[in-house]
Amino acid sequence: TKTLRPCRDDSVNFDSTENVYIEGDNFEVLKILQESYLGKIKMIYIDPPYNTGKDFIYKDNFTAKKATYEEELGTTDEEDNKLFKNTDTNGRFHSDWLSMMYERLIIARDLLKEDGVIFISIANQEIDNLIKVSNEIFGEENFLGLLIWRKKEGGGMADDYFATEHEYILIYQKTGAFIWNDEILIADENDFNKEDAIGKYNRVKLAKWGNTARREDRPSMYYPIIDPEGNENFPFSPDGSDGRWRIGVDLMNDLIKNNFIEFIKKENAWIPYEKIYFDPSKGKVKKLRSILYTIGGTARGTNEITRLFKRKDIFDNPKPITLFKSFAKYNTLNKDIILDFFSGSATTAHAVMQLNAEDNGNRKFIMVQLPEATDEKSEAYKAGYKTIAEIGKERIRRAGTKIVEDNQDKAGIDKLDIGFRVYKTGSSNMEEVYYHPEQLSQDNLFSLASNIKEERTPDDLLTQVILD
């Protein structure tokens, strides 16, 4: 019976924006959203708690045999729901974390479009367990890869044995309909350093190299071509044994016929090369590397948020927007919806707006964040941000303003959506009898002239009607 209640005061451009920021337990929020956004999310990125033994609180749905833990470690939210802190003293340490992730990923999968994809950041504490549960939910056949992200230079000096410099990003598609669009780099004429009557060109060896360069790997690609001295020329593999060409005999004959092959004599042997001519309409494919060590780590993320808030230590170890952009530009297009239900400092929302400004996109974001209290000794609390959600909302406001300021001369920047609607989870707008009419009695009959709670607004009712 939970619903979302709009909060205009916290929002930016409430009536025109298509971006959404929701405060609440993300499992409750995902359940509320699952009908409205069923099969509509193109990309999900989440940076969940890593289960280090001290760093996450979530709604505890387990009651049996847990009274001791709840009494010692439990807290409650504003509606007196129990919250449970998962520390390494908990006898169900991995089980509780996996239960928390499992139920959220189940709904996340249903929210994805058929060609949707999910990226999950994780550290080494639960990487093996996360792979197992993700294989179960998304299917092993939909596993796309495990990236290694260099999060800091030098690593954690407090680590027991190694200075840990990296974390992981786990990637799954929903179905085989997903398409990964490699980045195409525009061809640079300066890279073509040879020239003939046709134009500028580069040379590429015709003999195959690498692990599949032997004759037995592709027997049909072992055949002779005639060198400038009239002799048959066969390919050799790097170890000197019989090799294979990169192309088949028909294409080879076409290259020879059109003078697209050049022989270079080295050590009394003729080596054939294919001539690749400069074409301004074609570029090189740039693939995302499995080790992400050039896009910046948490130091860059910290600098980004420090510049926005003009003070240090507002948020610990935020991800850089370049990390998210490295993923989104390969698989999202105009008007795609992107979801992050462990929003934190709202790096994902910042990155979506920045990417839209760069490529004139119109991607939409949905951020979800538990209004977890900030430490009273923290710089964030001293600056007036009592919850992590407040930090996230303020970051989006500041980031949107700065992006527009930095792109004043760019055409269409005035149409960039830098707004967001804020919603907060709350109890239903309807009286309890609306859901449980059997509880109605003559004693309270006349107090229920309306099924709607008195303090609810037209915005509240409209939101619930849309969700329902």
Side-chain angles (χ1 to χ4, degrees):
T1 61
K2 286 291 183 74
T3 190
L4 299 180
R5 302 188 64 186
C7 183
R8 286 181 175 268
D9 291 343
D10 286 1
S11 304
V12 175
N13 303 332
F14 187 94
D15 290 319
S16 60
T17 184
E18 296 182 68
N19 299 317
V20 176
Y21 188 100
I22 304 174
E23 291 187 40
D25 175 87
N26 53 17
F27 185 45
E28 289 182 351
V29 172
L30 290 172
K31 288 191 290 183
I32 292 170
L33 295 180
Q34 64 181 337
E35 291 300 329
S36 299
Y37 288 95
L38 188 69
K40 294 182 179 179
I41 305 297
K42 181 61 195 301
M43 173 181 167
I44 297 175
Y45 171 78
I46 55 172
D47 183 17
Y50 291 169
N51 206 19
T52 60
K54 57 187 177 182
D55 70 346
F56 87 89
I57 297 177
Y58 67 95
K59 287 287 175 64
D60 178 23
N61 294 322
F62 303 95
T63 55
K65 300 180 181 179
K66 302 201 67 179
T68 302
Y69 291 127
E70 290 175 351
E71 181 178 349
E72 292 179 358
L73 303 171
T75 57
T76 59
D77 64 13
E78 69 279 1
E79 295 181 356
D80 205 34
N81 294 310
K82 284 187 177 180
L83 296 171
F84 181 69
K85 192 164 186 176
N86 199 38
T87 70
D88 49 14
T89 60
N90 175 14
R92 294 161 52 107
F93 183 57
H94 295 291
S95 176
D96 284 343
W97 185 86
L98 279 167
S99 296
M100 183 274 295
M101 290 297 296
Y102 182 84
E103 59 192 9
R104 287 156 175 80
L105 290 176
I106 283 285
I107 303 179
R109 182 190 181 281
D110 292 339
L111 292 176
L112 283 173
K113 298 173 68 174
E114 290 303 294
D115 62 347
V117 63
I118 183 170
F119 297 79
I120 311 172
S121 284
I122 196 66
N124 59 0
Q125 288 88 355
E126 295 287 356
I127 180 62
D128 53 337
N129 289 324
L130 181 61
I131 290 174
K132 290 182 177 69
V133 75
S134 297
N135 281 344
E136 179 177 331
I137 294 169
F138 297 98
E140 288 186 56
E141 69 278 8
N142 291 316
F143 171 70
L144 295 183
L146 180 65
L147 305 182
I148 297 172
W149 169 56
R150 191 185 189 191
K151 67 174 182 175
K152 61 177 63 176
E153 188 172 341
M157 295 300 104
D159 294 348
D160 290 337
Y161 303 106
F162 312 103
T164 303
E165 294 187 323
H166 70 281
E167 291 177 1
Y168 305 96
I169 296 98
L170 194 59
I171 312 172
Y172 283 85
Q173 63 183 0
K174 183 175 181 178
T175 70
F178 172 72
I179 297 175
W180 182 273
N181 296 304
D182 287 317
E183 185 177 7
I184 303 297
L185 301 180
I186 298 175
D188 186 347
E189 188 172 0
N190 295 323
D191 292 336
F192 295 79
N193 54 9
K194 299 167 183 64
E195 190 169 4
D196 61 13
I198 299 176
K200 291 187 174 182
Y201 68 94
N202 274 332
R203 293 193 299 243
V204 179
K205 276 187 177 183
L206 278 166
K208 186 72 172 69
W209 60 88
N211 294 332
T212 59
R214 295 172 301 175
R215 177 179 181 177
E216 55 263 37
D217 294 322
R218 290 291 296 276
S220 64
M221 290 189 177
Y222 178 81
Y223 54 85
I225 61 176
I226 305 302
D227 65 26
E229 296 178 352
N231 300 314
E232 290 187 335
N233 187 297
F234 287 90
F236 291 94
S237 67
D239 63 6
S241 61
D242 288 346
R244 48 159 288 213
W245 302 117
R246 291 188 297 108
I247 58 178
V249 64
D250 292 338
L251 180 55
M252 182 73 79
N253 288 334
D254 285 342
L255 293 180
I256 295 172
K257 179 181 177 181
N258 291 289
N259 196 32
F260 285 175
I261 289 181
E262 181 176 359
F263 280 88
I264 305 296
K265 196 166 190 177
K266 295 182 179 180
E267 298 178 356
N268 298 318
W270 288 102
I271 309 297
Y273 291 82
E274 180 183 0
K275 296 157 75 172
I276 307 294
Y277 286 90
F278 169 67
D279 183 345
S281 67
K282 295 181 179 179
K284 295 185 296 184
V285 172
K286 181 183 179 183
K287 287 189 173 292
L288 187 67
R289 302 299 181 184
S290 61
I291 301 179
L292 307 173
Y293 54 83
T294 62
I295 62 174
T298 53
R300 175 178 287 184
T302 299
N303 290 337
E304 290 167 352
I305 200 169
T306 297
R307 284 193 294 267
L308 280 178
F309 284 83
K310 295 180 170 53
R311 62 188 301 160
K312 295 181 179 180
D313 302 323
I314 286 292
F315 195 88
D316 292 335
N317 300 317
K319 298 289 190 295
I321 61 175
T322 46
L323 181 67
F324 171 85
K325 285 166 57 182
S326 295
F327 308 144
K329 68 182 180 182
Y330 287 103
N331 66 87
T332 63
L333 299 170
N334 198 24
K335 294 189 177 181
D336 280 336
I337 302 174
I338 296 162
L339 169 66
D340 182 346
F341 52 88
F342 286 99
S343 175
S345 68
T347 299
T348 300
H350 185 169
V352 169
M353 295 187 294
Q354 182 68 49
L355 190 58
N356 283 339
E358 292 174 4
D359 66 5
N360 295 315
N362 194 24
R363 301 168 184 83
K364 311 300 178 185
F365 64 74
I366 302 175
M367 301 291 106
V368 183
Q369 177 57 44
L370 183 73
E372 184 179 340
T374 53
D375 190 322
E376 294 184 7
K377 297 179 182 179
S378 68
E379 289 299 314
Y381 188 91
K382 295 173 185 176
Y385 305 108
K386 301 301 187 290
T387 68
I388 292 176
E390 289 179 13
I391 297 173
K393 289 180 292 184
E394 182 62 16
R395 178 180 187 173
I396 301 173
R397 296 185 195 106
R398 295 184 181 224
T401 300
K402 188 174 189 308
I403 289 169
V404 171
E405 290 175 352
D406 292 345
N407 292 273
Q408 280 296 323
D409 298 333
K410 189 169 185 177
I413 193 64
D414 56 320
K415 297 180 181 178
L416 181 67
D417 189 354
I418 59 171
F420 60 101
R421 297 182 184 183
V422 175
Y423 295 90
K424 299 182 180 182
T425 54
S427 61
S428 170
N429 297 307
M430 305 301 180
E431 296 285 3
E432 189 65 21
V433 69
Y434 176 83
Y435 297 99
H436 304 288
E438 73 278 1
Q439 295 179 6
L440 179 67
S441 68
Q442 289 183 330
D443 295 337
N444 56 24
L445 181 63
F446 293 103
S447 67
L448 295 172
S450 172
N451 284 334
I452 301 170
K453 294 176 181 176
E454 290 184 3
E455 76 279 10
R456 301 307 165 100
T457 68
D459 273 351
D460 289 330
L461 299 178
L462 175 61
T463 302
Q464 181 162 347
V465 167
I466 292 172
L467 288 169
D468 286 349

